[in-house]
Short mmCIF file of all heavy atoms in Angstrom, two decimals:
data_model
loop_
_atom_site.label_atom_id
_atom_site.label_comp_id
_atom_site.label_asym_id
_atom_site.label_seq_id
_atom_site.Cartn_x
_atom_site.Cartn_y
_atom_site.Cartn_z
N ALA A 82 13.90 8.99 15.97
CA ALA A 82 14.18 9.86 14.83
C ALA A 82 12.97 9.99 13.93
O ALA A 82 12.73 11.04 13.32
CB ALA A 82 15.39 9.35 14.05
N VAL A 83 12.17 8.92 13.82
CA VAL A 83 10.94 8.98 13.03
C VAL A 83 9.95 9.95 13.69
O VAL A 83 9.31 10.76 13.02
CB VAL A 83 10.34 7.57 12.87
CG1 VAL A 83 8.97 7.65 12.20
CG2 VAL A 83 11.27 6.69 12.06
N ILE A 84 9.83 9.89 15.02
CA ILE A 84 8.96 10.83 15.73
C ILE A 84 9.46 12.26 15.53
O ILE A 84 8.67 13.18 15.31
CB ILE A 84 8.88 10.47 17.22
CG1 ILE A 84 8.32 9.06 17.41
CG2 ILE A 84 8.03 11.49 17.97
CD1 ILE A 84 8.33 8.56 18.85
N ASP A 85 10.79 12.43 15.56
CA ASP A 85 11.37 13.76 15.31
C ASP A 85 10.96 14.27 13.93
O ASP A 85 10.64 15.45 13.76
CB ASP A 85 12.89 13.70 15.40
CG ASP A 85 13.40 13.52 16.83
OD1 ASP A 85 12.64 13.83 17.77
OD2 ASP A 85 14.54 13.06 16.99
N ALA A 86 11.00 13.37 12.92
CA ALA A 86 10.68 13.78 11.55
C ALA A 86 9.24 14.23 11.41
O ALA A 86 8.90 15.00 10.50
CB ALA A 86 10.98 12.64 10.58
N LEU A 87 8.39 13.77 12.32
CA LEU A 87 6.98 14.18 12.31
C LEU A 87 6.79 15.53 12.99
O LEU A 87 5.69 16.09 12.96
CB LEU A 87 6.13 13.13 13.03
CG LEU A 87 6.18 11.71 12.48
CD1 LEU A 87 5.49 10.75 13.43
CD2 LEU A 87 5.57 11.64 11.10
N ASP A 88 7.86 16.03 13.60
CA ASP A 88 7.82 17.30 14.34
C ASP A 88 6.78 17.24 15.46
O ASP A 88 6.04 18.18 15.69
CB ASP A 88 7.53 18.46 13.39
CG ASP A 88 7.90 19.82 13.99
OD1 ASP A 88 8.78 19.85 14.87
OD2 ASP A 88 7.31 20.84 13.59
N GLU A 89 6.77 16.09 16.15
CA GLU A 89 5.86 15.92 17.27
C GLU A 89 6.68 15.60 18.52
O GLU A 89 7.69 14.90 18.45
CB GLU A 89 4.87 14.79 17.00
CG GLU A 89 3.94 15.07 15.82
CD GLU A 89 2.82 14.04 15.72
OE1 GLU A 89 2.59 13.30 16.70
OE2 GLU A 89 2.17 13.98 14.66
N PRO A 90 6.24 16.11 19.68
CA PRO A 90 7.01 15.84 20.90
C PRO A 90 6.91 14.38 21.34
O PRO A 90 7.81 13.86 21.99
CB PRO A 90 6.37 16.76 21.94
CG PRO A 90 4.98 17.02 21.41
CD PRO A 90 5.12 17.02 19.92
N ALA A 91 5.80 13.72 20.99
CA ALA A 91 5.60 12.33 21.40
C ALA A 91 4.56 11.69 20.49
O ALA A 91 3.79 12.38 19.81
CB ALA A 91 5.14 12.26 22.86
N ALA A 92 4.53 10.36 20.49
CA ALA A 92 3.57 9.61 19.70
C ALA A 92 3.32 8.28 20.39
O ALA A 92 4.13 7.83 21.22
CB ALA A 92 4.09 9.37 18.28
N SER A 93 2.22 7.64 20.06
CA SER A 93 2.04 6.26 20.49
C SER A 93 2.94 5.38 19.63
O SER A 93 3.19 5.67 18.46
CB SER A 93 0.57 5.85 20.34
OG SER A 93 -0.23 6.59 21.25
N VAL A 94 3.42 4.30 20.23
CA VAL A 94 4.39 3.43 19.55
C VAL A 94 3.92 1.98 19.65
O VAL A 94 3.60 1.49 20.73
CB VAL A 94 5.79 3.58 20.18
CG1 VAL A 94 6.77 2.57 19.58
CG2 VAL A 94 6.32 5.00 19.99
N TRP A 95 3.89 1.32 18.50
CA TRP A 95 3.58 -0.11 18.38
C TRP A 95 4.84 -0.81 17.91
O TRP A 95 5.53 -0.34 17.00
CB TRP A 95 2.44 -0.31 17.39
CG TRP A 95 2.35 -1.66 16.73
CD1 TRP A 95 3.27 -2.23 15.88
CD2 TRP A 95 1.29 -2.63 16.86
NE1 TRP A 95 2.83 -3.47 15.46
CE2 TRP A 95 1.64 -3.73 16.05
CE3 TRP A 95 0.09 -2.64 17.55
CZ2 TRP A 95 0.82 -4.85 15.93
CZ3 TRP A 95 -0.73 -3.76 17.44
CH2 TRP A 95 -0.37 -4.85 16.64
N GLY A 96 5.12 -1.97 18.48
CA GLY A 96 6.20 -2.82 17.98
C GLY A 96 5.77 -4.26 18.03
O GLY A 96 5.16 -4.70 19.02
N ALA A 97 6.06 -5.01 16.97
CA ALA A 97 5.71 -6.43 16.91
C ALA A 97 6.97 -7.27 16.81
O ALA A 97 7.90 -6.93 16.07
CB ALA A 97 4.79 -6.72 15.73
N SER A 98 7.01 -8.37 17.56
CA SER A 98 8.13 -9.31 17.53
C SER A 98 9.43 -8.59 17.89
O SER A 98 9.50 -7.97 18.96
CB SER A 98 8.19 -10.00 16.16
OG SER A 98 8.99 -11.15 16.22
N MET A 99 10.45 -8.63 17.04
CA MET A 99 11.66 -7.87 17.37
C MET A 99 11.36 -6.38 17.46
O MET A 99 11.98 -5.66 18.24
CB MET A 99 12.75 -8.12 16.33
CG MET A 99 14.11 -7.60 16.77
SD MET A 99 15.28 -7.33 15.41
CE MET A 99 14.68 -5.75 14.79
N GLY A 100 10.41 -5.91 16.66
CA GLY A 100 9.99 -4.51 16.76
C GLY A 100 9.42 -4.20 18.13
O GLY A 100 9.54 -3.06 18.62
N GLY A 101 8.80 -5.19 18.77
CA GLY A 101 8.32 -5.00 20.13
C GLY A 101 9.45 -4.90 21.13
O GLY A 101 9.34 -4.20 22.14
N MET A 102 10.54 -5.61 20.86
CA MET A 102 11.73 -5.45 21.69
C MET A 102 12.26 -4.02 21.58
O MET A 102 12.59 -3.37 22.58
CB MET A 102 12.81 -6.45 21.27
CG MET A 102 12.42 -7.90 21.41
SD MET A 102 13.75 -8.99 20.82
CE MET A 102 12.96 -10.58 20.95
N VAL A 103 12.34 -3.53 20.34
CA VAL A 103 12.79 -2.16 20.12
C VAL A 103 11.86 -1.19 20.83
O VAL A 103 12.31 -0.24 21.50
CB VAL A 103 12.85 -1.85 18.61
CG1 VAL A 103 13.21 -0.39 18.39
CG2 VAL A 103 13.86 -2.76 17.91
N ALA A 104 10.55 -1.41 20.73
CA ALA A 104 9.59 -0.52 21.36
C ALA A 104 9.75 -0.49 22.88
O ALA A 104 9.57 0.56 23.51
CB ALA A 104 8.17 -0.94 20.99
N GLN A 105 10.09 -1.63 23.48
CA GLN A 105 10.36 -1.63 24.92
C GLN A 105 11.51 -0.70 25.26
O GLN A 105 11.46 0.06 26.24
CB GLN A 105 10.69 -3.05 25.37
CG GLN A 105 9.53 -4.02 25.32
CD GLN A 105 9.97 -5.45 25.56
OE1 GLN A 105 10.59 -5.76 26.58
NE2 GLN A 105 9.68 -6.33 24.61
N HIS A 106 12.55 -0.72 24.43
CA HIS A 106 13.70 0.16 24.68
C HIS A 106 13.34 1.62 24.45
O HIS A 106 13.86 2.50 25.14
CB HIS A 106 14.87 -0.27 23.80
CG HIS A 106 15.54 -1.52 24.27
ND1 HIS A 106 16.65 -1.53 25.09
CD2 HIS A 106 15.23 -2.83 24.07
CE1 HIS A 106 17.00 -2.76 25.36
NE2 HIS A 106 16.15 -3.58 24.75
N VAL A 107 12.45 1.88 23.48
CA VAL A 107 12.00 3.26 23.28
C VAL A 107 11.32 3.76 24.55
O VAL A 107 11.59 4.86 25.04
CB VAL A 107 11.04 3.37 22.08
CG1 VAL A 107 10.50 4.79 21.96
CG2 VAL A 107 11.74 2.98 20.78
N ALA A 108 10.43 2.94 25.12
CA ALA A 108 9.69 3.35 26.31
C ALA A 108 10.60 3.48 27.53
O ALA A 108 10.39 4.37 28.37
CB ALA A 108 8.58 2.35 26.60
#
Side-chain angles (χ1 to χ4, degrees):
V83 173
I84 300 174
D85 289 339
L87 302 170
D88 198 25
E89 296 190 16
S93 294
V94 174
W95 156 295
S98 196
M99 192 201 79
M102 299 178 185
V103 175
Q105 291 171 56
H106 286 265
V107 176

